[in-house]
Amino acid sequence: SASLEELDPNCARKLAKFKDFGERRFGHRPAIPLWRAIDKRDKQRLGYDVFVRRCLVMRSGLTEAELQELAHWLDWQGKKHLSFIDIEFLDHWR
């Protein structure tokens, strides 16, 4: 099977940058605390614009355009919003 790095190196780099940000700020398994920081109002789902704004405020190291692109990639089910399940993999992805 092919790795994400082989299939889409650009996507892999941005996901790695986002994961690195989460680990620097929240530790080895960043998914839960990272989601709680992004979803400050505990809405359980966020539009792409809210996700982007929160990540910019938290100084994720990604640009607004990169975060917009990342939001689309994370929304693997095409729901037009993000939820915890969309970033949960960060705890296990290398």
Side-chain angles (χ1 to χ4, degrees):
S1 70
S3 69
L4 179 59
E5 291 81 6
E6 294 169 315
L7 294 173
D8 191 337
N10 183 41
C11 176
R13 277 190 299 276
K14 288 181 180 124
L15 282 172
K17 194 172 181 181
F18 185 66
K19 181 181 178 173
D20 288 344
F21 156 70
E23 287 182 340
R24 278 192 322 276
R25 184 140 180 188
F26 300 106
H28 178 65
R29 292 190 175 260
I32 291 173
L34 177 58
W35 179 255
R36 287 181 179 154
I38 294 169
D39 184 19
K40 287 186 82 152
R41 295 184 180 171
D42 197 28
K43 292 191 174 240
Q44 308 301 311
R45 57 187 242 180
L46 300 171
Y48 297 167
D49 59 333
V50 175
F51 171 80
V52 169
R53 228 179 10 257
R54 290 294 307 140
C55 290
L56 287 171
V57 166
M58 293 187 330
R59 298 188 175 144
S60 66
L62 292 153
T63 67
E64 185 173 353
E66 289 173 324
L67 289 164
Q68 281 288 347
E69 195 171 23
L70 181 64
H72 287 282
W73 288 331
L74 291 172
D75 182 17
W76 56 277
Q77 294 174 315
K79 307 176 308 280
K80 305 294 184 207
H81 66 268
L82 298 174
S83 59
F84 173 71
I85 197 168
D86 298 317
I87 70 162
E88 186 177 20
F89 76 95
L90 291 175
D91 284 352
H92 310 286
W93 184 62
R94 296 180 187 259

